[in-house]
């Protein structure tokens, strides 16, 4: 199929397709009905005509049998429809009474003129099936029958009957009927076409509604939803999916604006501090030593801000599913060991003991998994007093692999626990972090189709569970 064909086919509207299908189906059904009706009518007419001929043959047979020597009644019957009625009669017929040598004994007047060459069935012994349809040279239609009329003592046929029934009038009636049906048929096709269009339009009403609502949706009107209560079942799921999609976009948009607010808020304080301290120093002449101190403190703040932008970038990038991910088989015990080695000196400064054990493999992104362990261990060291202990255990079974990090630090109160994975959430607002570390770990775990959980008792310590799906 060429591209142009494919395009023009797909451009036919659903309404037109429905109308066309409806009209086509109606034409097929109407044609079938018309054919069956026409067939039934001509069949019934033919049956009636045959019965008429059989009855006529019976009458003549009876007359020959009961009045073998009185031909007056027979003559009257053979004369057919009286001349006066002939023009208005539905059926006219002609009779030949012939002997066994086919010599005509008696004949309906005018018979010669109409049925001289009629091909009556020959050699009949019983008349039931000896019918024949015939058209004479004047175009008149006849139904012919031959029947034995009289037998000798040995049972041989000595007289035969030939009857021709003029069926031109009923045939013309059937033709007329077919013409009417054809005209009615054309009319109905037109009507069905209009009806089809109306039905298609009504059926597609909800889709048009959907298109109108879609057109009206803007960033400021994301809360609009489609009311699917009166929608047909076939379209309800489409309506639900659409509402779900808009819901998702609305949530993502809210998230984005909330995130932008939070970032602006977080940046405002350090930037204002930087501006304030620089303005104070510049307000009058100072010693070079004071300028140096300011630059050093500013540098520290710039570094913090740089870490913040790194973290924000990391979160933004990894919220796009599967972006920048490079999954390989990872030995968790090895990664835990690498991170612990990295933090060895930092922990030693506070005389904190780090213990790690266990084994298990996962499919994951090396840098992300190391970053998740780093963030949790960094917090554990940060929030554990001098001389504390941190345990890292890798636990593995058929369904999942856990890294459990337990510290005996300050702990977290129950009311704060649900919020610690939120972006920019800090329990102590004066803490040097940005409140992004755990949000990053949560994102990393979601990217690995895993989860993060925590349990904690204030004053006794915290335990974080990083759960990865089992390696497959
Ligand atoms: P930050 O980078 O500022 O530490 P996080 O997102 O890593 O932010 O942590 C959020 C908050 O959770 C921190 O402000 C801290 O109060 C609390 N927290 C995290 N880990 C621990 C822990 N091991 N012990 C006690 N509190 C913790």
């Amino acid at each position: 199929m060429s591209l142009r064909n494919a395009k023009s086919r797909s451009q036919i509207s659903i309404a037109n397709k429905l109308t066309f299908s409806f009209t086509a189906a109606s034409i097929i059904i109407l044609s079938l009905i018309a054919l069956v009706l026409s067939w039934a009518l001509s069949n019934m007419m033919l049956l009636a005509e045959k019965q008429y001929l059989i009855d006529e043959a019976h009458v003549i047979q009876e007359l020959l049998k009961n009045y073998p020597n009185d031909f007056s009644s027979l003559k009257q019957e053979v004369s057919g429809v009286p001349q006066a009625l002939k023009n208005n009669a539905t059926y006219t017929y002609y009779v030949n009474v012939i002997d066994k040598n086919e010599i005509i004994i008696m004949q309906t007047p005018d018979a010669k003129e109409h049925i001289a060459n009629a091909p009556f069935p020959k050699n009949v012994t019983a008349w039931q099936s000896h019918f024949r349809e015939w058209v004479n040279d004047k175009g008149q239609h006849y139904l012919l029958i031959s029947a034995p009329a009289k037998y000798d003592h040995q049972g041989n046929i000595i007289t035969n009957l030939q009857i021709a029934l003029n069926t031109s009038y009923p045939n013309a009636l059937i033709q007329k009927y077919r013409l009417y049906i054809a005209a009615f048929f054309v009319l109905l096709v037109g009507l069905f076409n209009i009806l089809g269009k109306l039905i298609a339009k009504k059926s597609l009403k909800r889709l048009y509604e959907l298109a109108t609502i879609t057109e009206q949706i803007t960033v400021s009107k994301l809360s609009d939803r489609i009311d699917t209560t009166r929608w047909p079942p076939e379209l309800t799921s489409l309506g639900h999916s659409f509402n779900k999609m808009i819901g998702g976009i609305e949530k993502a948009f809210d998230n984005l604006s909330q995130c932008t607010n939070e970032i602006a808020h977080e940046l405002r304080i350090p930037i204002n501090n930087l501006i304030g301290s620089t303005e104070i120093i510049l307000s009058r002449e100072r010693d070079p030593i004071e300028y140096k101190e300011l630059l050093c403190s500013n540098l520290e703040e710039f570094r913090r801000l740089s870490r913040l932008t790194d973290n924000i970038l990391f979160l933004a990038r990894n919220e796009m599913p599967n972006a920048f991910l490079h999954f390989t088989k990872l030995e968790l015990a090895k990664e835990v060991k690498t991170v612990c080695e990295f933090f060895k000196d930092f922990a030693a400064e506070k005389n904190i003991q780090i213990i790690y054990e266990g084994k298990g493999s996962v499919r994951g992104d090396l840098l992300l998994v190391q970053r998740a362990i780093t963030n949790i261990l960094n917090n554990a060291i940060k929030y554990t007093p001098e001389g504390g202990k941190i345990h890292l255990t890798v636990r593995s079974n058929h369904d999942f692999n856990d890294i459990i990090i337990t510290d005996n630090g300050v702990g977290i109160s129950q009311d704060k626990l649900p919020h610690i994975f939120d972006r920019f959430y800090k329990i102590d607002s004066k803490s040097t972090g940005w409140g992004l570390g755990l949000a990053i770990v949560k994102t990393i775990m979601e990217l690995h189709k895993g989860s993060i959980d925590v349990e904690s008792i204030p004053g006794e310590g915290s335990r974080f569970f990083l759960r990865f799906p089992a390696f497959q």
Side-chain angles (χ1 to χ4, degrees), residues 375-376 379-380 382-384 407 409-412 420 422 425-428 431-439 456 462 464:
N375 285 8
I376 303 277
N379 280 347
K382 209 154 78 176
Y383 299 107
T384 299
D407 64 58
V410 295
I412 306 161
I420 59 169
D422 294 348
Y425 182 79
K426 293 191 285 189
I427 293 177
D428 178 4
S431 108
T432 50
W434 288 107
L436 287 174
L438 290 179
S456 185
S462 310
F464 285 86

Side-chain angles (χ1 to χ4, degrees), residues 167-392:
T167 56
S168 298
Y169 181 67
N171 278 359
L173 275 186
I174 291 177
Q175 289 308 324
K176 224 180 222 174
Y177 164 81
R178 284 182 183 151
L179 213 75
Y180 286 150
I181 290 257
F184 190 54
F185 184 85
V186 172
L187 207 85
L188 276 185
V189 168
L191 201 77
F192 276 123
N193 194 281
I194 296 168
L195 261 177
K197 269 189 188 139
L198 287 176
I199 292 172
K201 211 171 159 194
K202 199 166 172 349
S203 311
L204 295 175
K205 197 176 150 205
R206 304 301 175 195
L207 281 184
Y208 294 132
E209 235 173 79
L210 185 66
T212 318
I213 294 174
T214 320
E215 271 169 26
Q216 285 167 357
I217 284 177
T218 57
V219 172
S220 54
K221 272 185 82 185
L222 279 174
S223 56
D224 275 10
R225 294 288 180 277
I226 301 170
D227 178 12
T228 54
T229 39
R230 283 186 301 124
W231 278 39
E234 295 87 342
L235 290 179
T236 320
S237 64
L238 176 69
H240 286 323
S241 310
F242 181 82
N243 282 345
K244 212 169 141 196
M245 184 187 79
I246 295 295
I249 294 175
E250 190 187 12
K251 205 169 146 204
F253 200 79
D254 284 351
N255 240 346
L256 190 71
S257 47
Q258 194 195 337
C259 187
T260 317
N261 277 343
E262 286 166 350
I263 293 170
H265 184 77
E266 290 300 323
L267 284 174
R268 210 181 50 207
I269 300 169
I271 289 174
N272 282 347
N273 287 347
L274 282 169
I275 294 171
S277 55
T278 312
E279 277 174 351
I280 290 172
I281 291 289
L282 290 177
S283 60
R284 59 178 170 84
E285 274 305 307
R286 308 255 174 198
D287 289 345
I289 204 101
E290 279 184 274
Y291 289 125
K292 197 176 171 191
E293 271 172 12
L294 174 80
L295 284 175
C296 283
S297 120
N298 280 5
L299 181 64
E300 190 52 40
E301 201 59 25
F302 286 139
R303 282 198 177 121
R304 244 169 58 81
L305 283 171
S306 164
R307 280 199 301 276
L308 171 67
T309 47
D310 279 353
N311 283 341
I312 292 170
L313 253 175
F314 179 89
L315 276 173
R317 210 174 46 184
N318 287 298
E319 268 173 7
M320 283 186 272
N322 302 330
F324 312 103
L325 292 181
H326 183 63
F327 277 67
T328 51
K329 183 183 179 185
L330 301 178
E331 293 301 333
L332 286 181
K334 189 173 152 233
E335 304 318 325
V336 165
K337 185 179 173 204
T338 308
V339 178
C340 289
E341 289 296 319
F342 180 78
F343 277 99
K344 208 167 67 187
D345 294 342
F346 179 36
E349 275 174 27
K350 289 177 81 179
N351 196 22
I352 291 174
Q353 197 187 346
I354 301 178
I355 304 153
Y356 48 86
E357 58 185 348
K359 60 175 186 168
S361 321
V362 294
R363 275 190 72 75
D365 183 296
L366 176 69
L367 292 179
L368 293 189
V369 171
Q370 282 186 350
R371 186 157 189 171
I373 305 168
T374 301
N375 285 8
I376 303 277
L377 188 56
N378 186 28
N379 280 347
I381 297 171
K382 209 154 78 176
Y383 299 107
T384 299
E386 295 223 355
K389 239 186 204 169
I390 300 171
H391 246 98
L392 291 99

